[in-house]
Every structure is written in C-alpha cells, then in structure tokens.
C-alpha cells in the first residue's frame, strides 16, 4: 500500500473516531479504496467493520499516527456513535472535496478556508465554545461562513433558532466574512428534503426550541442542501470559487448576458421571456424567491440549471409548465477556471 495514502486514510478515520460502513462504501472509489482498506486491516491498523461502531482504528493504528507526528488518541466514549457516523460523513466529504477538515479552533477560520467539526470544538478541556448549539461544524469558503447540520428522515431532535443564528453571526464577524448561510447535509438530496419537510411532533413554546424543519423555514440566511456523496464533492468544488455564480454565468452565457436587476435569477433570455437560475449550489429557497419575482415581472418560465442528479431531484417538486430544467455539463469547473476564453460569443 502507498505509505502516504495509508497515512491519510488512517488519519481521517482516527480523526472521525467512528466511520459508518455506508460512508466507506459511498467513497470506495476515491477515499476508501477496497484494496487500501484491506491492507490496513492486514497491517492491524484498522479494525474490521462492526455493525454498531463502524470502522475504527486499532491501538496500533493510533501508535502509527503518533509515530507520524499526528497526536490522536483513542477514546472510550462511544455512547453516541450514531452521531459520529453523521459527523464522519461530513468530514469525509470535505476531505474528498479538497477542503481541510482538520481545523480545531474557530480562530483558524479567520486566517483561511476550512472546516471545523463540532467534535473538535467540544474536545477542548474547559471550553464550552458551542454550548448547546446543534451544528455539526463550521465551514468557511471565501467570504462566507456556513453553519453545517446533518439531518435525516425520522430525526427526533430540536433546535433553538435564536441561539444558532446569534452564534453564526458572531463567528461570521469574527472571521471577517461578509456572508453567512446554513448547509443541510445527509446521504442524498431526498433524505435532506424529507427530513426538513416531514411532519414533526409538537414542541413546547416555553423551550424556545423548534424542529429542524421549522428552523429551516424560519431562517433568514440562504439554506443549501449538500449530499455526502460524489455529487456533494462536485458541489463543494463549485462553491470553493469566489463569485462562483458570476463565473458560471460567464462560462455559460458570456460577458454580455442580459440581466434584470429586479429579480434574483442569474440570466434572462429576452427572446423567449425566460429566466435561468443556477442550482449548482442547491440554494433551495432561492427558487421560490426567483419564481415570485419573475412572475411579477411577467416572465413566462423559470429554468433551473443544475447537474443531472440535482435536476432529477428538483423535477419532482418544480414542474412544467412554469418550471423546466437545463443540465450543466461536468466540465463547467474547467470552463470557470479558464474564464472568458471558453465563454460563448456575445
């Protein structure tokens, strides 16, 4: 096995503590290649997958990290191992997208992009940085800080919206960022949508807590869906670019794209009286906002431009004749990097 690849995978699993088998299988073609996982087991660095605790390191695996200058320690706190599986899915997705998932303090977000898992913040002795906040972590990309949450159908959890929002606002200011948003994660888009829209049990008003679905509907910040999958990786690659919406518009429609300042669509085709909205980041509530604005302006149609998997999901809820879809090609990232060189003629 390649020593560097082995060390990275051992570090990743050691950082997460417990990684669910579903996550390992989902990333079997990239991060957790079957041959590498098998070699780590033969070297007694990795325990065989347990149906309760998932994949985890052996003591020899932790000693391997210590000898490599990575001071991670095993622990015995496995009561909430299910929550660890959720956190691990997010961490692995960040890693696979080339985002540093090993940040350990909020202060690091002031200096660079990266992901701070909540478990890293809670691990500091004598620190209660998160308090009772329910976020799985904090992600900084360019000038935006995202509060990251993991949701799943049937999830019986509640959240205090004011506490979450106030905390995110403070982090955003402290990091020197101008924008903040909420990032809802799960195995796929349907799981996220179901979790945020399924009926929830009544919550006491006195507790000031609400269901995650209610929190999603109350939020003033943009709300994005992110699957922990190959599609999520592609989505993060887009979001890592500064002004990615502008760059995508130039790559797709050229620098002379017609816009209407009165709506939040990304491009207008004046000939067909059609508006286009980029959905590569899956900012879901932007759809309703755009639809309301373009209807008032008299436009006939809203085209949602997303990747194939995104369009398959969106078509179930946003249907003709008002809505239609356009598929983004997988080379859009290369076209964004090349700038106007590959943009269509004006």
């Amino acid at each position: 096995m390649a020593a560097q690849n082995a060390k990275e995978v051992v570090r990743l699993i050691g950082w997460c503590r417990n990684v669910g088998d579903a996550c390992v299988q989902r990333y079997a073609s990239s991060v957790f290649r079957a041959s590498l996982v098998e070699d780590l087991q033969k070297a007694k660095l990795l325990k065989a997958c347990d149906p309760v605790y998932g994949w985890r390191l052996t003591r020899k695996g932790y000693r391997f990290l210590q000898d490599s200058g990575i001071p991670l320690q095993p622990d015995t706190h496995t009561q909430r191992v299910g929550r660890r599986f959720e956190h691990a899915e997010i961490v692995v997705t960040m890693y696979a997208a080339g985002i540093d998932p090993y940040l350990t303090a909020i202060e690091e977000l002031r200096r660079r992009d990266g992901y701070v898992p909540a478990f890293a913040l809670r691990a500091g002795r004598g620190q209660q940085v998160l308090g009772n906040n329910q976020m799985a972590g904090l992600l900084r990309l360019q000038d935006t800080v995202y509060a990251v949450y993991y949701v799943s159908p049937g999830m019986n959890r509640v959240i205090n919206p004011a506490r979450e929002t106030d905390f995110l606002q403070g982090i955003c200011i402290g990091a020197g960022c101008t924008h903040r948003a909420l990032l809802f994660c799960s195995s796929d888009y349907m799981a996220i949508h179901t979790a945020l829209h399924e009926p929830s049990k009544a919550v006491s008003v006195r507790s000031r807590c609400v269901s995650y679905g209610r929190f999603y509907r109350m939020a003033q910040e943009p709300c994005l869906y992110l699957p922990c999958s190959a599609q999520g990786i592609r989505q993060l690659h887009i979001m890592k670019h500064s002004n990615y919406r502008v760059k995508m518009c130039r790559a797709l429609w050229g620098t002379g794209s017609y816009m209407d300042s009165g709506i939040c669509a990304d491009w207008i085709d004046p000939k067909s009286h059609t508006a286009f909205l980029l959905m590569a980041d899956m900012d879901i509530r932007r759809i309703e906002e755009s639809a309301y604005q373009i209807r008032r302006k008299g436009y006939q149609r809203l085209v949602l431009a997303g990747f194939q998997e995104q369009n398959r999901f969106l078509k179930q809820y946003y249907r003709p004749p008002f809505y239609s879809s356009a598929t983004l090609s997988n080379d859009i990232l290369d076209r964004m990097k090349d700038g106007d060189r590959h943009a269509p003629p004006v």
Side-chain angles (χ1 to χ4, degrees), residues 245-246 248-250 252-253 257-270 273-279 281 283 285-305 322-324:
R245 303 190 79 88
V246 173
M248 290 184 75
C249 283
R250 288 176 178 171
L252 292 168
W253 299 300
S257 304
Y258 174 74
M259 290 302 302
D260 186 329
S261 59
I263 65 174
C264 65
D266 293 294
W267 186 64
I268 300 295
D269 181 353
H273 224 48
T274 298
F276 288 75
L277 180 65
L278 293 171
M279 292 305 301
D281 60 2
D283 184 350
R285 295 195 314 186
R286 194 181 183 98
I287 298 175
E288 303 295 341
E289 182 181 355
S290 296
Y292 173 75
Q293 292 173 350
I294 71 171
R295 281 187 172 114
R296 291 188 63 186
K297 287 277 187 173
Y299 292 102
Q300 303 300 315
R301 195 162 56 114
L302 177 59
V303 178
L304 305 178
F322 180 72
Y323 293 103
S324 62

Short mmCIF file of all heavy atoms in Angstrom, two decimals, residues 245-246 248-250 252-253 257-270 273-279 281 283 285-305 322-324:
data_model
loop_
_atom_site.label_atom_id
_atom_site.label_comp_id
_atom_site.label_asym_id
_atom_site.label_seq_id
_atom_site.Cartn_x
_atom_site.Cartn_y
_atom_site.Cartn_z
N ARG A 245 -21.13 32.21 -8.91
CA ARG A 245 -22.31 32.40 -9.76
C ARG A 245 -21.97 33.27 -10.97
O ARG A 245 -22.38 32.99 -12.10
CB ARG A 245 -23.46 33.02 -8.97
CG ARG A 245 -23.88 32.24 -7.73
CD ARG A 245 -25.17 32.80 -7.15
NE ARG A 245 -26.32 32.34 -7.90
CZ ARG A 245 -26.97 31.20 -7.65
NH1 ARG A 245 -26.57 30.41 -6.66
NH2 ARG A 245 -27.99 30.84 -8.38
N VAL A 246 -21.20 34.32 -10.72
CA VAL A 246 -20.79 35.21 -11.82
C VAL A 246 -19.92 34.45 -12.82
O VAL A 246 -20.10 34.56 -14.04
CB VAL A 246 -20.04 36.43 -11.26
CG1 VAL A 246 -19.46 37.26 -12.41
CG2 VAL A 246 -20.95 37.28 -10.40
N MET A 248 -19.80 31.22 -13.38
CA MET A 248 -20.58 30.24 -14.12
C MET A 248 -21.41 30.91 -15.21
O MET A 248 -21.53 30.38 -16.33
CB MET A 248 -21.48 29.46 -13.16
CG MET A 248 -20.74 28.51 -12.24
SD MET A 248 -21.85 27.54 -11.19
CE MET A 248 -22.47 26.36 -12.37
N CYS A 249 -21.97 32.07 -14.92
CA CYS A 249 -22.74 32.80 -15.92
C CYS A 249 -21.89 33.16 -17.12
O CYS A 249 -22.31 33.02 -18.28
CB CYS A 249 -23.35 34.06 -15.31
SG CYS A 249 -24.79 33.78 -14.27
N ARG A 250 -20.67 33.62 -16.85
CA ARG A 250 -19.78 33.99 -17.95
C ARG A 250 -19.42 32.77 -18.79
O ARG A 250 -19.34 32.84 -20.02
CB ARG A 250 -18.52 34.64 -17.39
CG ARG A 250 -18.75 36.05 -16.85
CD ARG A 250 -17.49 36.59 -16.22
NE ARG A 250 -17.69 37.96 -15.73
CZ ARG A 250 -16.79 38.61 -14.99
NH1 ARG A 250 -15.66 38.03 -14.64
NH2 ARG A 250 -17.05 39.85 -14.58
N LEU A 252 -21.20 30.08 -19.20
CA LEU A 252 -22.37 29.55 -19.89
C LEU A 252 -22.94 30.50 -20.92
O LEU A 252 -23.37 30.07 -22.01
CB LEU A 252 -23.46 29.21 -18.86
CG LEU A 252 -23.16 28.05 -17.91
CD1 LEU A 252 -24.18 28.01 -16.78
CD2 LEU A 252 -23.17 26.72 -18.66
N TRP A 253 -22.98 31.79 -20.59
CA TRP A 253 -23.72 32.72 -21.44
C TRP A 253 -22.89 33.92 -21.92
O TRP A 253 -23.41 34.77 -22.64
CB TRP A 253 -24.96 33.22 -20.69
CG TRP A 253 -25.88 32.10 -20.34
CD1 TRP A 253 -26.49 31.25 -21.22
CD2 TRP A 253 -26.28 31.68 -19.03
NE1 TRP A 253 -27.26 30.34 -20.53
CE2 TRP A 253 -27.16 30.58 -19.19
CE3 TRP A 253 -26.01 32.13 -17.73
CZ2 TRP A 253 -27.73 29.91 -18.11
CZ3 TRP A 253 -26.59 31.48 -16.66
CH2 TRP A 253 -27.44 30.38 -16.84
N SER A 257 -24.23 38.84 -20.96
CA SER A 257 -25.51 38.28 -20.54
C SER A 257 -26.49 39.35 -20.11
O SER A 257 -26.13 40.28 -19.38
CB SER A 257 -25.29 37.30 -19.38
OG SER A 257 -24.37 36.30 -19.75
N TYR A 258 -27.73 39.22 -20.56
CA TYR A 258 -28.76 40.18 -20.19
C TYR A 258 -29.29 39.87 -18.80
O TYR A 258 -29.58 38.73 -18.47
CB TYR A 258 -29.91 40.14 -21.20
CG TYR A 258 -31.09 41.00 -20.79
CD1 TYR A 258 -31.02 42.39 -20.90
CD2 TYR A 258 -32.25 40.44 -20.27
CE1 TYR A 258 -32.08 43.19 -20.53
CE2 TYR A 258 -33.32 41.23 -19.89
CZ TYR A 258 -33.23 42.61 -20.02
OH TYR A 258 -34.28 43.39 -19.62
N MET A 259 -29.37 40.89 -17.97
CA MET A 259 -29.88 40.72 -16.62
C MET A 259 -30.99 41.73 -16.35
O MET A 259 -31.09 42.76 -17.01
CB MET A 259 -28.77 40.90 -15.58
CG MET A 259 -27.75 39.76 -15.58
SD MET A 259 -28.51 38.16 -15.29
CE MET A 259 -29.29 38.43 -13.71
N ASP A 260 -31.81 41.41 -15.40
CA ASP A 260 -32.88 42.29 -14.93
C ASP A 260 -32.63 42.51 -13.45
O ASP A 260 -32.72 41.58 -12.66
CB ASP A 260 -34.24 41.65 -15.18
CG ASP A 260 -35.39 42.59 -14.84
OD1 ASP A 260 -35.22 43.43 -13.93
OD2 ASP A 260 -36.45 42.48 -15.47
N SER A 261 -32.29 43.71 -13.07
CA SER A 261 -31.92 43.99 -11.68
C SER A 261 -33.08 43.77 -10.70
O SER A 261 -32.88 43.69 -9.50
CB SER A 261 -31.42 45.44 -11.54
OG SER A 261 -32.43 46.35 -11.96
N GLY A 262 -34.29 43.63 -11.23
CA GLY A 262 -35.44 43.47 -10.35
C GLY A 262 -35.69 42.05 -9.89
O GLY A 262 -36.60 41.80 -9.11
N ILE A 263 -34.90 41.08 -10.38
CA ILE A 263 -35.09 39.69 -9.97
C ILE A 263 -33.74 39.06 -9.63
O ILE A 263 -32.69 39.57 -9.99
CB ILE A 263 -35.79 38.86 -11.07
CG1 ILE A 263 -34.89 38.76 -12.30
CG2 ILE A 263 -37.13 39.45 -11.44
CD1 ILE A 263 -35.45 37.85 -13.37
N CYS A 264 -33.78 37.94 -8.90
CA CYS A 264 -32.52 37.31 -8.48
C CYS A 264 -32.16 36.11 -9.34
O CYS A 264 -31.37 35.27 -8.95
CB CYS A 264 -32.59 36.90 -7.01
SG CYS A 264 -33.80 35.61 -6.64
N ALA A 265 -32.76 36.00 -10.55
CA ALA A 265 -32.33 34.97 -11.49
C ALA A 265 -30.93 35.30 -11.98
O ALA A 265 -30.47 36.45 -11.88
CB ALA A 265 -33.31 34.88 -12.66
N ASP A 266 -30.24 34.32 -12.55
CA ASP A 266 -28.85 34.53 -12.97
C ASP A 266 -28.72 34.99 -14.41
O ASP A 266 -27.71 35.58 -14.78
CB ASP A 266 -28.07 33.22 -12.77
CG ASP A 266 -27.93 32.85 -11.30
OD1 ASP A 266 -27.25 33.60 -10.58
OD2 ASP A 266 -28.52 31.84 -10.88
N TRP A 267 -29.72 34.72 -15.22
CA TRP A 267 -29.65 35.15 -16.62
C TRP A 267 -31.06 35.20 -17.19
O TRP A 267 -31.93 34.45 -16.79
CB TRP A 267 -28.79 34.17 -17.44
CG TRP A 267 -28.56 34.61 -18.86
CD1 TRP A 267 -27.90 35.72 -19.29
CD2 TRP A 267 -29.01 33.95 -20.05
NE1 TRP A 267 -27.90 35.80 -20.66
CE2 TRP A 267 -28.57 34.71 -21.15
CE3 TRP A 267 -29.74 32.77 -20.27
CZ2 TRP A 267 -28.83 34.35 -22.46
CZ3 TRP A 267 -30.01 32.40 -21.59
CH2 TRP A 267 -29.54 33.18 -22.67
N ILE A 268 -31.26 36.13 -18.12
CA ILE A 268 -32.56 36.31 -18.78
C ILE A 268 -32.38 36.16 -20.29
O ILE A 268 -31.47 36.74 -20.88
CB ILE A 268 -33.14 37.71 -18.49
CG1 ILE A 268 -33.35 37.93 -17.00
CG2 ILE A 268 -34.44 37.90 -19.25
CD1 ILE A 268 -34.38 37.04 -16.38
N ASP A 269 -33.23 35.36 -20.88
CA ASP A 269 -33.29 35.28 -22.34
C ASP A 269 -34.47 36.14 -22.78
O ASP A 269 -35.63 35.72 -22.67
CB ASP A 269 -33.50 33.82 -22.79
CG ASP A 269 -33.54 33.69 -24.31
OD1 ASP A 269 -33.53 34.73 -25.00
OD2 ASP A 269 -33.56 32.55 -24.79
N PRO A 270 -34.22 37.36 -23.26
CA PRO A 270 -35.31 38.27 -23.59
C PRO A 270 -36.17 37.79 -24.76
O PRO A 270 -37.34 38.13 -24.86
CB PRO A 270 -34.59 39.58 -23.93
CG PRO A 270 -33.21 39.17 -24.32
CD PRO A 270 -32.89 37.95 -23.52
N HIS A 273 -38.44 35.22 -23.25
CA HIS A 273 -39.01 35.72 -22.00
C HIS A 273 -38.86 34.68 -20.88
O HIS A 273 -39.79 34.41 -20.12
CB HIS A 273 -40.49 36.09 -22.19
CG HIS A 273 -40.85 37.40 -21.55
ND1 HIS A 273 -40.12 38.54 -21.71
CD2 HIS A 273 -41.87 37.74 -20.72
CE1 HIS A 273 -40.66 39.53 -21.05
NE2 HIS A 273 -41.74 39.06 -20.41
N THR A 274 -37.65 34.12 -20.81
CA THR A 274 -37.35 33.04 -19.87
C THR A 274 -36.21 33.44 -18.95
O THR A 274 -35.24 34.06 -19.37
CB THR A 274 -36.95 31.76 -20.64
OG1 THR A 274 -38.05 31.35 -21.45
CG2 THR A 274 -36.58 30.64 -19.69
N ALA A 275 -36.36 33.08 -17.67
CA ALA A 275 -35.31 33.34 -16.68
C ALA A 275 -34.59 32.04 -16.35
O ALA A 275 -35.19 30.97 -16.33
CB ALA A 275 -35.91 33.95 -15.42
N PHE A 276 -33.28 32.14 -16.07
CA PHE A 276 -32.47 30.98 -15.72
C PHE A 276 -31.89 31.18 -14.31
O PHE A 276 -31.42 32.26 -13.97
CB PHE A 276 -31.31 30.81 -16.71
CG PHE A 276 -31.73 30.34 -18.08
CD1 PHE A 276 -32.35 31.21 -18.96
CD2 PHE A 276 -31.51 29.03 -18.48
CE1 PHE A 276 -32.75 30.80 -20.22
CE2 PHE A 276 -31.91 28.60 -19.73
CZ PHE A 276 -32.52 29.49 -20.61
N LEU A 277 -31.94 30.09 -13.52
CA LEU A 277 -31.41 30.13 -12.16
C LEU A 277 -30.43 28.98 -11.99
O LEU A 277 -30.78 27.81 -12.18
CB LEU A 277 -32.55 30.00 -11.13
CG LEU A 277 -32.14 30.03 -9.65
CD1 LEU A 277 -31.54 31.39 -9.29
CD2 LEU A 277 -33.34 29.73 -8.76
N LEU A 278 -29.18 29.31 -11.62
CA LEU A 278 -28.17 28.28 -11.39
C LEU A 278 -28.44 27.56 -10.08
O LEU A 278 -28.61 28.20 -9.03
CB LEU A 278 -26.78 28.93 -11.35
CG LEU A 278 -26.28 29.53 -12.67
CD1 LEU A 278 -25.00 30.33 -12.44
CD2 LEU A 278 -26.05 28.44 -13.70
N MET A 279 -28.45 26.23 -10.12
CA MET A 279 -28.74 25.44 -8.93
C MET A 279 -27.56 24.56 -8.52
O MET A 279 -27.72 23.61 -7.76
CB MET A 279 -29.97 24.56 -9.18
CG MET A 279 -31.27 25.33 -9.32
SD MET A 279 -31.60 26.41 -7.89
CE MET A 279 -31.64 25.24 -6.55
N ASP A 281 -25.27 25.11 -6.47
CA ASP A 281 -25.04 25.13 -5.03
C ASP A 281 -26.24 24.64 -4.23
O ASP A 281 -26.18 24.53 -3.01
CB ASP A 281 -24.63 26.53 -4.57
CG ASP A 281 -25.70 27.59 -4.85
OD1 ASP A 281 -26.78 27.23 -5.37
OD2 ASP A 281 -25.44 28.78 -4.55
N ASP A 283 -29.05 26.12 -3.47
CA ASP A 283 -29.65 27.12 -2.59
C ASP A 283 -31.16 27.05 -2.85
O ASP A 283 -31.70 27.80 -3.66
CB ASP A 283 -29.08 28.50 -2.91
CG ASP A 283 -29.58 29.59 -1.98
OD1 ASP A 283 -30.52 29.32 -1.20
OD2 ASP A 283 -29.06 30.72 -2.06
N ARG A 285 -34.13 27.69 -1.36
CA ARG A 285 -35.16 28.72 -1.18
C ARG A 285 -35.02 29.85 -2.19
O ARG A 285 -35.95 30.65 -2.36
CB ARG A 285 -35.12 29.24 0.25
CG ARG A 285 -35.50 28.16 1.26
CD ARG A 285 -35.80 28.74 2.59
NE ARG A 285 -34.81 29.70 3.01
CZ ARG A 285 -34.78 30.28 4.20
NH1 ARG A 285 -35.71 29.99 5.09
NH2 ARG A 285 -33.85 31.13 4.54
N ARG A 286 -33.89 29.90 -2.88
CA ARG A 286 -33.72 30.89 -3.93
C ARG A 286 -34.71 30.65 -5.07
O ARG A 286 -35.08 31.57 -5.80
CB ARG A 286 -32.28 30.84 -4.45
CG ARG A 286 -31.86 32.01 -5.31
CD ARG A 286 -30.42 31.81 -5.77
NE ARG A 286 -29.95 32.94 -6.55
CZ ARG A 286 -29.21 33.94 -6.09
NH1 ARG A 286 -28.86 33.94 -4.81
NH2 ARG A 286 -28.82 34.92 -6.86
N ILE A 287 -35.16 29.40 -5.22
CA ILE A 287 -36.10 29.07 -6.29
C ILE A 287 -37.42 29.81 -6.08
O ILE A 287 -37.94 30.46 -7.00
CB ILE A 287 -36.36 27.55 -6.34
CG1 ILE A 287 -35.05 26.80 -6.65
CG2 ILE A 287 -37.42 27.22 -7.39
CD1 ILE A 287 -35.20 25.29 -6.59
N GLU A 288 -37.97 29.71 -4.87
CA GLU A 288 -39.25 30.35 -4.58
C GLU A 288 -39.14 31.87 -4.71
O GLU A 288 -40.05 32.53 -5.23
CB GLU A 288 -39.71 29.98 -3.17
CG GLU A 288 -39.85 28.48 -2.93
CD GLU A 288 -40.94 27.86 -3.78
OE1 GLU A 288 -41.81 28.60 -4.28
OE2 GLU A 288 -40.92 26.62 -3.94
N GLU A 289 -38.03 32.41 -4.23
CA GLU A 289 -37.83 33.86 -4.31
C GLU A 289 -37.77 34.32 -5.77
O GLU A 289 -38.40 35.30 -6.16
CB GLU A 289 -36.54 34.24 -3.58
CG GLU A 289 -36.26 35.73 -3.56
CD GLU A 289 -34.97 36.08 -2.83
OE1 GLU A 289 -34.34 35.16 -2.26
OE2 GLU A 289 -34.59 37.27 -2.85
N SER A 290 -37.01 33.58 -6.59
CA SER A 290 -36.89 33.93 -8.00
C SER A 290 -38.23 33.79 -8.72
O SER A 290 -38.61 34.65 -9.53
CB SER A 290 -35.85 33.04 -8.69
OG SER A 290 -34.57 33.25 -8.15
N ALA A 291 -38.95 32.71 -8.42
CA ALA A 291 -40.24 32.47 -9.08
C ALA A 291 -41.22 33.61 -8.78
O ALA A 291 -41.93 34.09 -9.67
CB ALA A 291 -40.82 31.14 -8.61
N TYR A 292 -41.26 34.05 -7.54
CA TYR A 292 -42.16 35.14 -7.15
C TYR A 292 -41.80 36.42 -7.92
O TYR A 292 -42.69 37.12 -8.44
CB TYR A 292 -42.04 35.39 -5.65
CG TYR A 292 -42.79 36.60 -5.15
CD1 TYR A 292 -44.19 36.57 -5.02
CD2 TYR A 292 -42.12 37.77 -4.82
CE1 TYR A 292 -44.89 37.69 -4.58
CE2 TYR A 292 -42.81 38.89 -4.38
CZ TYR A 292 -44.19 38.85 -4.27
OH TYR A 292 -44.86 39.97 -3.84
N GLN A 293 -40.50 36.70 -8.02
CA GLN A 293 -40.08 37.94 -8.67
C GLN A 293 -40.32 37.92 -10.17
O GLN A 293 -40.77 38.91 -10.75
CB GLN A 293 -38.59 38.19 -8.37
CG GLN A 293 -38.32 38.52 -6.91
CD GLN A 293 -36.84 38.59 -6.61
OE1 GLN A 293 -36.01 38.22 -7.43
NE2 GLN A 293 -36.49 39.07 -5.43
N ILE A 294 -40.02 36.80 -10.82
CA ILE A 294 -40.16 36.80 -12.28
C ILE A 294 -41.62 36.73 -12.70
O ILE A 294 -41.99 37.24 -13.76
CB ILE A 294 -39.34 35.66 -12.94
CG1 ILE A 294 -39.95 34.30 -12.66
CG2 ILE A 294 -37.90 35.69 -12.52
CD1 ILE A 294 -39.29 33.20 -13.46
N ARG A 295 -42.46 36.14 -11.88
CA ARG A 295 -43.90 36.17 -12.19
C ARG A 295 -44.42 37.60 -12.15
O ARG A 295 -45.24 38.00 -12.99
CB ARG A 295 -44.66 35.29 -11.20
CG ARG A 295 -44.60 33.79 -11.50
CD ARG A 295 -45.52 33.02 -10.59
NE ARG A 295 -45.64 31.61 -10.97
CZ ARG A 295 -45.21 30.60 -10.23
NH1 ARG A 295 -44.61 30.82 -9.07
NH2 ARG A 295 -45.37 29.35 -10.64
N ARG A 296 -43.97 38.36 -11.17
CA ARG A 296 -44.39 39.76 -11.07
C ARG A 296 -43.91 40.57 -12.26
O ARG A 296 -44.54 41.54 -12.66
CB ARG A 296 -43.86 40.38 -9.78
CG ARG A 296 -44.50 39.82 -8.51
CD ARG A 296 -44.08 40.61 -7.29
NE ARG A 296 -44.54 41.99 -7.38
CZ ARG A 296 -44.23 42.95 -6.50
NH1 ARG A 296 -43.43 42.66 -5.47
NH2 ARG A 296 -44.68 44.17 -6.64
N LYS A 297 -42.77 40.15 -12.83
CA LYS A 297 -42.21 40.86 -13.97
C LYS A 297 -42.82 40.40 -15.29
O LYS A 297 -42.53 40.97 -16.35
CB LYS A 297 -40.69 40.65 -14.01
CG LYS A 297 -39.93 41.42 -12.94
CD LYS A 297 -39.69 42.86 -13.39
CE LYS A 297 -38.78 43.59 -12.41
NZ LYS A 297 -38.41 44.93 -12.92
N GLY A 298 -43.62 39.33 -15.23
CA GLY A 298 -44.27 38.86 -16.44
C GLY A 298 -43.50 37.84 -17.24
O GLY A 298 -43.89 37.52 -18.38
N TYR A 299 -42.41 37.29 -16.69
CA TYR A 299 -41.68 36.26 -17.42
C TYR A 299 -42.48 34.96 -17.41
O TYR A 299 -43.20 34.65 -16.46
CB TYR A 299 -40.29 36.05 -16.79
CG TYR A 299 -39.38 37.23 -16.99
CD1 TYR A 299 -39.14 38.14 -15.97
CD2 TYR A 299 -38.76 37.44 -18.22
CE1 TYR A 299 -38.31 39.24 -16.16
CE2 TYR A 299 -37.93 38.54 -18.42
CZ TYR A 299 -37.71 39.44 -17.39
OH TYR A 299 -36.89 40.53 -17.58
N GLN A 300 -42.32 34.19 -18.49
CA GLN A 300 -43.16 33.03 -18.70
C GLN A 300 -42.63 31.74 -18.07
O GLN A 300 -43.40 30.82 -17.81
CB GLN A 300 -43.33 32.79 -20.22
CG GLN A 300 -43.90 33.99 -20.96
CD GLN A 300 -45.27 34.38 -20.46
OE1 GLN A 300 -46.13 33.53 -20.26
NE2 GLN A 300 -45.48 35.67 -20.24
N ARG A 301 -41.32 31.67 -17.83
CA ARG A 301 -40.76 30.39 -17.44
C ARG A 301 -39.49 30.60 -16.62
O ARG A 301 -38.75 31.57 -16.82
CB ARG A 301 -40.43 29.58 -18.70
CG ARG A 301 -40.18 28.12 -18.49
CD ARG A 301 -40.31 27.36 -19.82
NE ARG A 301 -39.44 27.87 -20.86
CZ ARG A 301 -38.43 27.20 -21.39
NH1 ARG A 301 -38.16 25.98 -20.97
NH2 ARG A 301 -37.70 27.72 -22.34
N LEU A 302 -39.25 29.68 -15.69
CA LEU A 302 -38.02 29.67 -14.91
C LEU A 302 -37.30 28.35 -15.16
O LEU A 302 -37.83 27.28 -14.87
CB LEU A 302 -38.29 29.83 -13.41
CG LEU A 302 -37.07 29.78 -12.47
CD1 LEU A 302 -36.07 30.88 -12.83
CD2 LEU A 302 -37.51 29.91 -11.01
N VAL A 303 -36.09 28.44 -15.70
CA VAL A 303 -35.28 27.26 -15.99
C VAL A 303 -34.28 27.06 -14.86
O VAL A 303 -33.49 27.97 -14.54
CB VAL A 303 -34.53 27.40 -17.34
CG1 VAL A 303 -33.66 26.16 -17.59
CG2 VAL A 303 -35.52 27.60 -18.47
N LEU A 304 -34.32 25.89 -14.24
CA LEU A 304 -33.38 25.55 -13.17
C LEU A 304 -32.21 24.80 -13.78
O LEU A 304 -32.38 23.70 -14.33
CB LEU A 304 -34.08 24.69 -12.11
CG LEU A 304 -35.36 25.28 -11.52
CD1 LEU A 304 -35.98 24.32 -10.51
CD2 LEU A 304 -35.09 26.64 -10.87
N ALA A 305 -31.02 25.40 -13.70
CA ALA A 305 -29.83 24.82 -14.33
C ALA A 305 -28.99 24.13 -13.26
O ALA A 305 -28.38 24.79 -12.42
CB ALA A 305 -29.01 25.90 -15.03
N PHE A 322 -44.45 26.08 -15.78
CA PHE A 322 -43.66 27.24 -15.37
C PHE A 322 -42.19 26.89 -15.18
O PHE A 322 -41.30 27.64 -15.57
CB PHE A 322 -44.23 27.82 -14.07
CG PHE A 322 -43.48 29.04 -13.58
CD1 PHE A 322 -43.60 30.25 -14.23
CD2 PHE A 322 -42.65 28.96 -12.48
CE1 PHE A 322 -42.91 31.37 -13.79
CE2 PHE A 322 -41.95 30.07 -12.03
CZ PHE A 322 -42.09 31.29 -12.69
N TYR A 323 -41.93 25.74 -14.57
CA TYR A 323 -40.53 25.33 -14.34
C TYR A 323 -40.07 24.36 -15.41
O TYR A 323 -40.83 23.52 -15.89
CB TYR A 323 -40.40 24.63 -12.98
CG TYR A 323 -40.64 25.52 -11.78
CD1 TYR A 323 -41.84 25.44 -11.08
CD2 TYR A 323 -39.68 26.40 -11.34
CE1 TYR A 323 -42.08 26.24 -9.97
CE2 TYR A 323 -39.89 27.21 -10.23
CZ TYR A 323 -41.09 27.13 -9.56
OH TYR A 323 -41.32 27.92 -8.46
N SER A 324 -38.80 24.46 -15.77
CA SER A 324 -38.15 23.45 -16.59
C SER A 324 -36.70 23.37 -16.15
O SER A 324 -36.27 24.12 -15.26
CB SER A 324 -38.26 23.81 -18.09
OG SER A 324 -37.60 25.03 -18.35
#
